[in-house]
Amino acid sequence: MANHFSWLNDQLSQLEASGLVRKRRQVVPLADGWCELGGRKLRNFASNDYLNLAHDQRVMEAARQAVDAAGFGATASPLVVGRTDWHARLETQLAEFEGQERAILFPSGYAANLGTLSALAGEGDIIFSDRLNHASMIDGCRLSRAHIHVYRRDQLDALERKLQQAGHYRHRFIVTDSLFSMDGDVAPLDQLCDLADRFDASLIVDEAHATGQLGERGRGVAEWMNVEDRVAVRVGTLSKAIGSLGGFVTGEHELIDWLWNRARTQIYSTALPPSACAAASKAIEIIQEEPWRRERVHSLAEQLRTGVSEAGLATTPNGVGSIVPVILNDPDSVMKASARLEEAGILVAAIRPPSVPKNASRLRFSVTAAHTEEDIDRLLAKLCRSCRVPA
Ligand SMILES: *Cc1c(COP(=O)(O)O)cnc(C)c1O
């Protein structure tokens, strides 16, 4: 057999040597914050199912009913014959949930960012992008062919100067995660709104990690910071706190009509399975009716954050909500610590470059509504031992 890719062996060996090769494995997902890995039951601190809805019986039943009524696959893209009542109801529900005129669905959050940024921005425009934005926003910026300026959210005076000099671009956009997935801190949306107003820019906010968990009604950081009517475009995912699959964008009707016509990642991709929409619809109802879920995530995350600091471990400043990183710098220490935690029955994400900058490898704990105070206490005790810090 011809070997076309022997040249990749060198590259793969280099990854292996730097401790950066990605290993894949199969988990058995279990209810209530557990999963099984290699025949062992582990407490799961690596999932984005923040509100414990992926295994909720009501969500599962809604999906089953849609499967019975509509089959599984959507069989076509939304504009052909893939869009059903389940899709239309979910769009209406998402727009109402976020207090926006309209919503549009995408196959994933990744596709939502790629399709939206490339449909809105083009040559002659400029996008200001936070340097720690999610890969899907970075790729969306690149695909748009707009000029890209990367800024740091801890240096907004530099961003202000760049905005001041950008008057000659046709359109100006500022794009940011709302809750950053690696550091667990939030974007300064209030200050970004001020800058967007002053320099006639449109603010695009990706609430992927914040939807359902932040804000009085669970609408995200924009709600929490009381700037919802100043954000031009809100991107979200159905696959984290909502426990299903898919992405979405909400905003003014002109925006959504444009995305129906120009966002290639939804035009040229098969619609979501109706059952994924039915599950998401039920989950959003539950999010509105059961605020205790997000309240529990917050108090448990605070407990973990405080415990990590008291143990003398390094975390990120200004953390808010479910994501609590423990920074161990080099990839090797992170892999060893996560393996020891796994021995002790705890599953955690080991994050290495290129997901984070060099020397910033970390364990990332995701707290969910399935966890308890006792879980966090046990986790802290085991964490201290696994990172060789006296408790
Ligand atoms: C997870 C994530 C996405 C991707 O969402 P999917 O629905 O999983 O594709 C996009 N943006 C951010 C900020 C994310 O954290």
Side-chain angles (χ1 to χ4, degrees):
M1 200 170 76
N3 191 343
H4 295 285
F5 293 105
S6 47
W7 57 276
L8 288 177
N9 280 329
D10 282 350
Q11 313 234 25
L12 286 165
S13 313
Q14 267 173 33
L15 284 180
E16 183 84 58
S18 345
L20 293 179
V21 86
R22 307 291 178 126
K23 297 255 156 54
R24 53 195 176 276
R25 52 196 192 174
Q26 298 93 270
V27 301
V28 182
L30 302 173
D32 296 325
W34 293 96
C35 69
E36 199 183 298
L37 196 64
R40 293 181 53 236
K41 210 174 149 187
L42 302 174
R43 206 70 185 116
N44 189 353
F45 283 93
S47 138
N48 300 322
D49 184 21
Y50 299 126
L51 302 179
N52 193 26
L53 291 175
H55 277 85
D56 188 281
Q57 288 301 329
R58 297 162 290 180
V59 171
M60 290 159 68
E61 181 54 28
R64 271 193 294 266
Q65 282 182 13
V67 167
D68 287 344
F72 188 72
T75 77
S77 60
L79 293 171
V80 181
V81 287
R83 184 169 173 267
T84 65
D85 277 351
W86 287 274
H87 298 81
R89 272 200 297 273
L90 178 58
E91 287 161 14
T92 306
Q93 194 184 5
L94 283 165
E96 279 172 12
F97 174 59
E98 298 213 331
Q100 302 289 319
E101 285 179 14
R102 299 272 165 81
I104 180 172
L105 297 173
F106 284 84
S108 69
Y110 204 116
N113 276 321
L114 219 59
T116 301
L117 289 165
S118 58
L120 286 179
E123 271 174 68
D125 298 333
I126 183 165
I127 304 178
F128 298 88
S129 172
D130 190 293
R131 80 185 166 122
L132 295 180
N133 273 347
H134 188 262
S136 56
M137 274 187 283
I138 296 171
D139 291 353
C141 289
R142 289 177 181 157
L143 193 61
S144 77
R145 302 195 206 171
H147 185 78
I148 301 165
H149 176 80
V150 176
Y151 69 90
R152 299 176 54 133
R153 61 185 175 283
D154 57 351
Q155 296 176 3
L156 289 185
D157 43 341
L159 172 61
E160 178 177 345
R161 278 195 300 280
K162 287 290 176 190
L163 276 158
Q164 228 152 19
Q165 296 158 7
H168 58 287
Y169 287 97
R170 188 180 46 175
H171 300 295
R172 287 159 293 281
F173 299 94
I174 304 175
V175 304
T176 184
D177 276 33
S178 70
L179 175 58
F180 283 86
S181 57
M182 295 302 156
D183 285 355
D185 64 333
V186 300
L189 290 188
D190 44 356
Q191 294 173 66
L192 292 174
C193 285
D194 290 344
L195 288 172
D197 287 349
R198 275 177 56 205
F199 298 106
D200 192 24
S202 301
L203 181 59
I204 303 179
V205 176
D206 180 352
E207 297 264 25
H209 283 279
T211 306
Q213 83 148 297
L214 284 169
E216 181 91 11
R217 282 161 292 185
R219 297 161 158 200
V221 179
E223 185 200 2
W224 188 56
M225 290 195 173
N226 200 18
V227 295
E228 286 183 289
D229 50 1
R230 303 173 71 194
V231 173
V233 182
R234 308 238 325 250
V235 183
T237 177
L238 304 172
S239 55
K240 288 176 178 145
I242 296 175
S244 180
L245 170 73
F248 64 93
V249 171
T250 66
E252 296 164 20
H253 67 270
E254 292 92 341
L255 165 72
I256 303 304
D257 283 346
W258 183 248
L259 296 180
W260 274 118
N261 284 279
R262 281 291 184 277
R264 294 164 63 87
T265 51
Q266 66 81 21
I267 297 175
Y268 298 106
S269 206
T270 300
L272 290 168
S275 54
C277 299
S281 283
K282 181 51 80 178
I284 292 165
E285 277 175 32
I286 298 173
I287 287 171
Q288 289 167 303
E289 287 161 7
E290 300 182 359
W292 65 264
R293 291 175 184 272
R294 52 183 170 276
E295 286 156 15
R296 180 191 281 192
V297 171
H298 283 269
S299 68
L300 294 178
E302 275 319 300
Q303 185 190 345
L304 179 54
R305 231 175 242 117
T306 308
V308 164
S309 301
E310 284 175 2
L313 292 163
T315 183
T316 46
N318 311 320
V320 178
S322 57
I323 298 167
V324 183
V326 172
I327 318 259
L328 299 176
N329 306 320
D330 69 290
D332 205 42
S333 312
V334 165
M335 296 317 285
K336 286 191 176 128
S338 72
R340 279 195 293 266
L341 281 168
E342 235 173 87
E343 283 296 304
I346 286 171
L347 184 63
V348 59
I351 312 269
R352 296 168 284 170
S355 305
V356 287
K358 250 186 164 166
N359 300 321
S361 293
R362 63 196 64 187
L363 299 169
R364 182 183 64 177
F365 295 94
S366 296
V367 173
T368 78
H371 296 133
T372 62
E373 286 177 23
E374 295 73 52
D375 280 325
I376 305 293
D377 284 339
R378 269 195 295 271
L379 166 61
L380 281 164
K382 288 169 179 166
L383 178 61
C384 290
R385 277 200 294 280
S386 301
C387 300
R388 298 193 197 289
V389 178

